[in-house]
Amino acid sequence: MRNRNFSWLRLCTGLIFGLPYICIAQSNDIEMNVKFHPVSKYVPPLDSAAKTGSSRLIETAFSAHFGLYQKIDTTNGRLKLLNGAVFGKHTALSNTGFNEQVLPEDLYSVSAAVSFYSVLNRKWAYTLFLNSALNSDFLSVDYNDVFLTGGIQFIRNFSPKLRLGFGIIIHNNLGKPMFWPGLSVYWRFGGRFNFDIRVPDEGQGLAYTVAAGYQYNDRLRFAFAFKPQNISYDVKMRKAINNRLMNFWQLPFELSGTYTKGHFGYTANLGFSALRSFAYAEKDLRNMFTKYPYHGLNANLTFGAGVRYTF
């Protein structure tokens, strides 16, 4: 009998690794970012015996965006766009001083996304999106390592400086489809300022952005952002913990500056991570409200840099 789970795994991984070759002829931009989290003390669950240890994180992320299709109806000005994107992220944890293994050493996320945008009339538009991700420590890989997220959002354009979007997100983080509200707000005011909310934001897992920006001149802009992110991984711990689903939460605040010259954009950021927690659970919707112990790392500063090439 054919293994149905394996067929789905091949389909999703084929989408992840095949999409760049499909749309490479219509590339838009490529970006690389590195973020460094200094050594932080381990915070054990409240009801556990005291454990010692500390961990240092280095996150390396890659993204690329591709235009796949564009159509403009000259009779009514309606626009249709089909875009693709790929994302990759490696989180390396240097763990020292633990008396048992509670944190993984390496986490990987590779994903591909497609989105369709269509203008309905002068005031309304909508967008559809789908993201297929392989989130794993690669110690053991099967269909449980595949995470899907999709949704629809309707966008109301009040003016060229103000738009509001609302919709719904569907994801399978617990093995079955789950629904989540979606929201986007963009407001440009005072000539140089803007306010931006994206729920969800692009990238790995369920990412959110609440940001205020300032355009200093044509080349230099600054932003202060709150960027919560939850990524679910399928992991196989060598010791102590048997549950394979690991939810990794981060609550970072970041101040960033971006300088653009020609095709290149350079970004530097300084941030503060108020929370980094790891919870091991069962990938089953029946356990949605089950309380699992959280393993955390102390709040700490973060430093990052990135470069983007647009063409």
Side-chain angles (χ1 to χ4, degrees), residues 134-146:
L134 187 66
N135 300 341
S136 177
D137 57 3
F138 283 108
L139 295 180
S140 177
V141 179
D142 58 23
Y143 71 95
N144 286 304
D145 296 70
V146 177

Side-chain angles (χ1 to χ4, degrees), residues 44 66 73 88 119 138 144 152 193 201 205 209 213 219-220 222 227 234 237 266 275:
F66 312 94
D73 191 330
V119 174
F138 283 108
N144 286 304
I152 183 171
F193 295 91
D201 199 357
T209 292
R219 292 185 176 182
L220 182 62
F222 300 95
K227 295 186 174 184
D234 186 68
M237 298 294 290
Y266 307 93
L275 172 71

Side-chain angles (χ1 to χ4, degrees), residues 71 124 153 218 289:
K71 180 181 179 181
W124 287 95
Q153 192 169 100
D218 292 340
F289 297 104

Side-chain angles (χ1 to χ4, degrees), residues 122-262:
R122 289 198 316 168
K123 294 183 177 180
W124 287 95
Y126 72 91
T127 182
L128 296 164
F129 54 92
L130 174 65
N131 184 295
S132 173
L134 187 66
N135 300 341
S136 177
D137 57 3
F138 283 108
L139 295 180
S140 177
V141 179
D142 58 23
Y143 71 95
N144 286 304
D145 296 70
V146 177
F147 295 85
L148 303 174
T149 305
I152 183 171
Q153 192 169 100
F154 295 93
I155 303 166
R156 174 68 159 87
N157 295 291
F158 293 93
S159 73
K161 295 183 178 181
L162 177 63
R163 62 178 180 266
L164 171 66
F166 59 90
I168 192 167
I169 309 165
I170 306 173
H171 65 84
N172 72 330
N173 284 11
L174 291 178
K176 298 291 190 299
M178 297 179 63
F179 298 88
W180 205 257
L183 174 69
S184 67
V185 178
Y186 182 81
W187 179 30
R188 185 175 179 86
F189 59 97
R192 296 179 181 269
F193 295 91
N194 67 76
F195 182 67
D196 193 11
I197 297 176
R198 294 190 296 271
V199 179
D201 199 357
E202 66 173 17
Q204 291 82 6
L206 295 175
Y208 314 91
T209 292
V210 179
Y214 175 70
Q215 187 79 36
Y216 181 76
N217 55 36
D218 292 340
R219 292 185 176 182
L220 182 62
R221 67 180 186 272
F222 300 95
F224 179 75
F226 175 48
K227 295 186 174 184
Q229 184 181 48
N230 172 235
I231 306 181
S232 295
Y233 294 90
D234 186 68
V235 301
K236 183 178 180 181
M237 298 294 290
R238 296 185 179 91
K239 301 177 182 178
I241 299 170
N242 295 319
N243 293 343
R244 290 184 58 175
L245 179 66
M246 188 196 77
N247 292 311
F248 178 26
W249 265 105
Q250 294 192 82
L251 298 180
F253 296 84
E254 294 181 357
L255 178 63
S256 64
T258 301
Y259 178 77
T260 303
K261 186 175 182 180

